[in-house]
Amino acid sequence: MTATIGNIQADAKTGGLSFAGKVLHPLWLRERVVETNAFDPISHQRLYEPAELDPSIIVQSAEISADDKLSIKFSDGYAGIFDIVELAREIGLTDNPETIPLPKSWNSNLNFKRFDWNALDDPAEMKALLTAYFENAFCIMDNTPTDRDSLKKHARRFGFLRDTNFGEIFNVETKPSATDLAYTDVALASHTDNPYRWPVPSIQYLHCLANEVQGGLSTLVDGMAVAEALAQENQAWADILETVPVRFRYDGPTGIYEDTAPLIARDYRGFVNHIRFSPRLDFVPALDPDTLTIFYAARRRMHELANDLKFQIQFPFKPGTLLMMNNYRLFHGRTAFNGKQGYRHLQGCYIDHDGPQCLYRLLATGHTETFVQRES
Ligand SMILES: [Fe+2]
């Protein structure tokens, strides 16, 4: 084969290629062949089982053309033409516009922009909103239409609704004989929603239709910042909350839901990606007393930090305000109010994480959001 092609060279040891100093395995290259007999151009799925490829395949020849295309012939007779720009992006040599912005931890000093619902038809503004959402794990929109149940339409702009036993849409309003403290006028301490479900609902929306009361401010705290602070104060506390499996249970009039998991989980990159915190319905196992003493100290400190004003932002709900928040990263709560002052009505719903991610990728690659639709 050609010994040197620009900065792409044969790698004799593996039978693959070396690209900018990174060795690409021959099978890694072979399963990226997108010729029509190997790859479906509509679904972008392989037309064969890559696990059945001959494990001894090597690159026999490789050539670069003037238009940045790399032609490779493989020892099994297949050939492929690769776009070098895409190859460089996949191995991290250049930025990928589809990459979801990384989370940035924040505290009460956070300066955040509120978004006008009426400006979101501009793809650049919608992308700015999504960027803020991925970085901060929430965003606030104003001037949304306030018709009852219009939240379904608003949330569907970002993803598909997650139904639960509380309904596709749930109403947060003071009512007698409430089945949840959310439906009263008492303060709600920082918590995450529904840790007893599997999967836990990902993104929560709260939409204000009416608010005639003082107080009742919404509170948000970044769970990533709390986890960082906890680890700085006492690593053993952070460790125990990431390892002890805690049982969460909802046993109510409409079902019995239960799941078991640590209070803090991380993704493959090490970012905190799932806080479960609802101490009124968690049940730690009967571990040895020394371990439980550490666990209770850690959970107590987590509760204190999650309700510490140094970490908290507060804002009022006005009719038309729409909050979108990541229930896997943020604690949310509410200050008390006097329900006798007037009517207060919020509606809520959930969607999955992948909806806004899909929308971001589409906008980042020049599509319009109208592309987000159901396959019929
Ligand atoms: Fe909640």
Side-chain angles (χ1 to χ4, degrees):
M1 66 172 288
T2 314
T4 302
I5 316 158
N7 62 350
I8 297 182
Q9 300 175 331
D11 183 68
K13 188 175 170 200
T14 62
L17 294 177
S18 169
F19 183 11
K22 186 175 178 71
V23 175
L24 302 178
H25 194 286
L27 282 174
W28 189 93
L29 290 161
R30 173 66 178 80
E31 64 185 19
R32 277 160 180 71
V33 169
V34 293
E35 301 311 292
T36 49
N37 57 349
F39 196 72
D40 183 77
I42 295 174
S43 69
H44 294 174
Q45 293 173 349
R46 296 186 184 106
L47 296 171
Y48 63 97
E49 286 298 335
E52 294 172 5
L53 288 173
D54 177 357
S56 64
I57 284 174
I58 60 168
V59 171
Q60 275 188 332
S61 69
E63 277 178 29
I64 287 187
S65 60
D67 57 350
D68 278 345
K69 296 285 190 283
L70 170 64
S71 301
I72 301 179
K73 285 197 175 119
F74 294 91
S75 57
D76 64 351
Y78 273 79
I81 298 174
F82 295 74
D83 184 320
I84 291 182
V85 174
E86 284 179 18
L87 210 55
R89 195 179 286 153
E90 181 166 6
I91 64 177
L93 294 179
T94 55
D95 288 341
N96 184 343
E98 292 186 19
T99 300
I100 303 299
L102 292 177
K104 296 180 180 173
S105 62
W106 53 262
N107 59 28
S108 61
N109 296 324
L110 177 70
N111 268 320
F112 63 93
K113 175 185 171 180
R114 298 174 73 117
F115 290 85
D116 186 331
W117 181 256
N118 299 308
L120 295 180
D121 289 335
D122 175 359
E125 191 68 0
M126 177 60 99
K127 189 156 173 271
L129 175 144
L130 292 169
T131 299
Y133 169 75
F134 292 124
E135 289 178 349
N136 299 330
F138 76 94
C139 58
I140 300 172
M141 293 159 263
D142 292 307
N143 302 319
T144 63
T146 55
D147 317 276
R148 189 180 177 92
D149 294 346
S150 59
L151 174 59
K152 288 189 190 181
K153 202 170 152 204
H154 304 338
R156 282 184 177 134
R157 198 165 174 182
F158 298 92
F160 300 106
L161 299 190
R162 160 76 189 275
D163 201 357
T164 73
N165 59 319
F166 296 140
E168 224 176 21
I169 291 260
F170 49 89
N171 290 282
V172 183
E173 52 192 334
T174 50
K175 43 188 159 187
S177 306
T179 56
D180 193 293
L181 288 179
Y183 307 142
T184 69
D185 57 8
V186 303
L188 297 175
S190 282
H191 65 281
T192 66
D193 267 14
N194 296 197
Y196 43 79
R197 293 188 199 282
W198 188 66
V200 174
S202 313
I203 298 168
Q204 179 175 182
Y205 289 86
L206 282 175
H207 185 216
C208 180
L209 304 186
N211 190 7
E212 298 168 351
V213 305
Q214 305 293 314
L217 302 179
S218 192
T219 65
L220 293 176
V221 169
D222 183 9
M224 204 165 93
V226 166
E228 285 168 4
L230 195 72
Q232 275 175 7
E233 281 185 22
N234 188 322
Q235 190 61 50
W237 288 349
D239 291 345
I240 206 161
L241 296 184
E242 292 190 30
T243 51
V244 166
V246 174
R247 181 167 58 90
F248 299 94
R249 181 177 170 90
Y250 170 90
D251 188 346
T254 51
I256 299 175
Y257 294 93
E258 193 174 295
D259 194 29
T260 299
L263 269 57
I264 301 173
R266 291 178 187 273
D267 69 11
Y268 67 96
R269 301 167 298 182
F271 287 112
V272 168
N273 79 337
H274 200 164
I275 301 275
R276 294 175 176 85
F277 197 72
S278 194
R280 297 185 190 216
L281 44 78
D282 75 5
F283 300 89
V284 66
L287 303 172
D288 70 87
D290 289 346
T291 303
L292 278 184
T293 297
I294 300 171
F295 174 84
Y296 285 126
R299 192 185 63 176
R300 189 180 307 120
R301 189 60 185 140
M302 190 175 184
H303 167 80
E304 289 167 358
L305 292 170
N307 290 281
D308 188 326
L309 293 180
K310 281 190 301 194
F311 287 98
Q312 189 180 91
I313 58 167
Q314 298 186 346
F315 58 94
F317 271 115
K318 296 179 296 188
T321 301
L322 175 60
L323 167 66
M324 169 182 175
M325 60 179 160
N326 182 344
N327 185 47
Y328 281 43
R329 182 175 145 196
L330 297 194
F331 301 92
H332 65 277
R334 179 184 73 199
T335 64
F337 62 97
N338 181 354
K340 296 192 182 75
Q341 281 180 343
Y343 186 51
R344 182 180 189 270
H345 185 194
L346 307 182
Q347 290 194 304
C349 73
Y350 302 109
I351 67 166
D352 291 332
H353 289 305
D354 58 5
Q357 291 190 346
C358 169
L359 182 54
Y360 184 87
R361 292 187 191 104
L362 290 169
L363 294 172
T365 50
H367 295 83
T368 65
E369 64 177 286
T370 54
F371 184 87
V372 181
Q373 53 188 279
R374 285 179 194 277
E375 290 187 19
S376 53

